[in-house]
Amino acid sequence: MAASEQADSRGMRRRGLLKAALPLGVTATALGASPATAVATGAPSGALVRRGRDRIDVHCHLIPDFYRRDLAAHGITEIGGVPIPTWSPTLAVGFMNRYGIQAQVVSVSEPGVTYLSSAAERVAMAQRLNTYTSRDLVHPTSAHLKGRFGGFAVLPLGENVDEHDVSRAVTEARRAVRELKLDGVGIFSSYGGTYLGDPVFAPLMKALDDLGAMVFIHPTTPQSYPDLGLPPFLYEFTFDTTRALVNMLYKGAYRRYPRIRWLAAHAGGTLPYISYRTSLLSLTPAVAQQVGAAGLDDSSPSFRRLFYDTALSPAPQAMKSVRELAGTEHILFATDWPFTSALFLVAGDPAPQLDETFSPAERLAVERSNALVQFPALAARIGAARA
């Protein structure tokens, strides 16, 4: 057995995840992946042939025209140091068709609605964006778009978060999930320097826990970062995601709100690589060392329960670290389109680097069946629900 396989096997035993022992091909078939995959005639035993559209992209963005115009009216033409790209539902479907993607779960990137100065404006824009996402993309009347989109809600939070801001966010989160039937809620790593573990967010976290929501943590450009003359998406986005995830550990967010399923963008920033170090003050590793216990988790169990996407991180340097931390079943495929349009020049496999970390069956789990388990309403809409 190769060293990487041994490491992953040990990690799965430590976590006691019975699902990891199930044949992934069987799991995928049960979730409706069979129309897009097949065992090749005459191919080596267990080899999978990908065909048609079977990928689920859990991290990509929508930029409807009304939102783009409002951003421009407020002087915002770049996001993360990158010019705001062109987007439309038709362009999104064309991208999906070129890269074997069946559906995208779209979200609003920074600045969300934080650029709006008044609470009333933020609520109005968040409601408009969420209603558009639900009506025009997730539950469309157009046959061309049916079954091609899922959606995360954007919340009406501003740069200076207070209890009233959070109360309005609770109301919109409930509306988005219960009435608009969106697939989860998007939230930024920080708001004006206030990170997600801050007590001000407690009512929102309680509401998200009550909803059992999938919550997508997307990075934002932090305040007062050192300017190296490079666009902040290159590195600051990853650092701010890490700050949020570590902050929530020590503020007790994972423990107090166990029904929230957290999806960390861009492979969790730098967290997988430094998960042991950032867990040191959570006591368990220190106790294990003192008593000489073997085989215990060497990172916080909370970090192992998070979900991580592959956006801008498909290379083995990132994926092998995430896999060792959380297991293959906690990794979900993502492209970060349309902000990554320049990276997708030739149709075909959108992330060939994943082959350096995952077997064909594991890639199918990462690119499809893991997402269908975590997004059951989306699975039902595309006819891939469990039997």
Side-chain angles (χ1 to χ4, degrees):
M1 180 181 292
S4 61
E5 293 173 341
Q6 290 175 333
D8 193 60
S9 176
R10 288 195 299 270
M12 287 190 288
R13 285 199 299 272
R14 282 199 304 265
R15 294 182 288 277
L17 295 169
L18 297 177
K19 186 168 65 177
L22 294 174
L24 287 171
V26 174
T27 303
T29 300
L31 290 167
S34 55
T37 59
V39 177
T41 303
S45 176
L48 293 174
V49 174
R50 307 292 290 270
R51 69 187 187 201
R53 297 192 303 264
D54 65 0
R55 295 179 176 92
I56 307 296
D57 184 351
V58 302
H59 175 176
C60 42
H61 299 293
L62 75 160
I63 315 167
D65 288 341
F66 67 84
Y67 181 57
R68 179 193 302 277
R69 289 193 297 269
D70 203 58
L71 289 173
H74 287 80
I76 300 171
T77 58
E78 292 187 350
I79 293 175
V82 177
I84 299 175
T86 302
W87 179 90
S88 72
T90 299
L91 288 173
V93 169
F95 170 77
M96 287 188 268
N97 290 345
R98 287 194 302 276
Y99 291 98
I101 298 168
Q102 184 173 6
Q104 290 183 335
V105 185
V106 294
S107 58
V108 178
S109 183
E110 77 159 347
V113 299
T114 62
Y115 67 97
L116 296 168
S117 58
S118 78
E121 288 178 306
R122 291 195 296 273
V123 168
M125 181 56 75
Q127 289 180 340
R128 187 176 182 185
L129 284 164
N130 292 335
T131 299
Y132 171 84
T133 302
S134 174
R135 182 194 62 212
D136 290 51
L137 300 179
V138 179
H139 306 287
T141 56
S142 166
H144 176 61
L145 301 181
K146 188 175 179 62
R148 303 310 301 270
F149 292 97
F152 288 110
V154 62
L155 299 179
L157 293 168
E159 285 291 328
N160 299 305
V161 181
D162 60 21
E163 62 185 58
H164 304 294
D165 230 12
V166 171
S167 178
R168 289 184 283 265
V170 167
T171 299
E172 184 59 14
R174 289 172 175 158
R175 184 183 84 98
V177 174
R178 292 174 176 169
E179 298 177 25
L180 300 181
K181 305 298 182 185
L182 294 183
D183 297 285
V185 173
I187 195 166
F188 294 151
S189 51
S190 62
Y191 291 85
T194 303
Y195 285 85
L196 298 181
D198 193 282
V200 72
F201 291 112
L204 175 59
M205 297 301 175
K206 176 63 167 58
L208 296 173
D209 191 67
D210 291 342
L211 292 168
M214 172 64 83
V215 179
F216 175 47
I217 302 175
H218 191 278
T220 189
T221 304
Q223 291 188 332
S224 304
Y225 68 93
D227 186 1
L228 304 183
L230 295 168
F233 87 89
L234 277 177
Y235 51 93
E236 288 298 339
F237 271 19
T238 64
F239 300 155
D240 215 55
T241 299
T242 304
R243 293 183 189 105
L245 298 175
V246 174
N247 177 259
M248 286 196 292
L249 174 67
Y250 288 102
K251 297 296 186 179
Y254 305 126
R255 173 177 47 82
R256 285 198 298 273
Y257 312 110
R259 296 186 67 240
I260 298 176
R261 290 164 296 132
W262 301 98
L263 174 59
H266 306 122
T270 65
L271 181 74
Y273 177 70
I274 62 173
S275 59
Y276 170 73
R277 178 176 180 145
T278 56
S279 299
L280 290 176
L281 296 183
S282 64
L283 190 62
T284 301
V287 171
Q289 287 181 348
Q290 290 294 322
V291 301
L296 297 178
D297 285 330
D298 52 9
S299 297
S300 169
S302 296
F303 292 156
R304 295 188 180 279
R305 289 194 294 268
L306 303 180
F307 293 87
Y308 302 84
D309 75 40
T310 70
L312 291 174
S313 308
Q317 299 94 312
M319 285 295 99
K320 290 183 179 180
S321 184
V322 179
R323 178 178 176 172
E324 175 61 21
L325 174 63
T328 300
E329 64 280 1
H330 278 230
I331 303 173
L332 308 178
F333 171 75
T335 65
D336 207 356
W337 189 86
F339 290 94
T340 55
S341 295
L343 301 179
F344 296 100
L345 302 177
V346 180
D349 187 344
Q353 304 97 322
L354 294 177
D355 279 339
E356 299 180 59
T357 301
F358 305 107
S359 70
E362 289 169 330
R363 274 201 69 171
L364 179 59
V366 168
E367 294 180 307
R368 182 177 176 85
S369 56
N370 290 348
L372 295 180
V373 170
Q374 299 306 321
F375 295 91
L378 173 63
R381 292 197 301 274
I382 66 177
R386 287 182 182 274

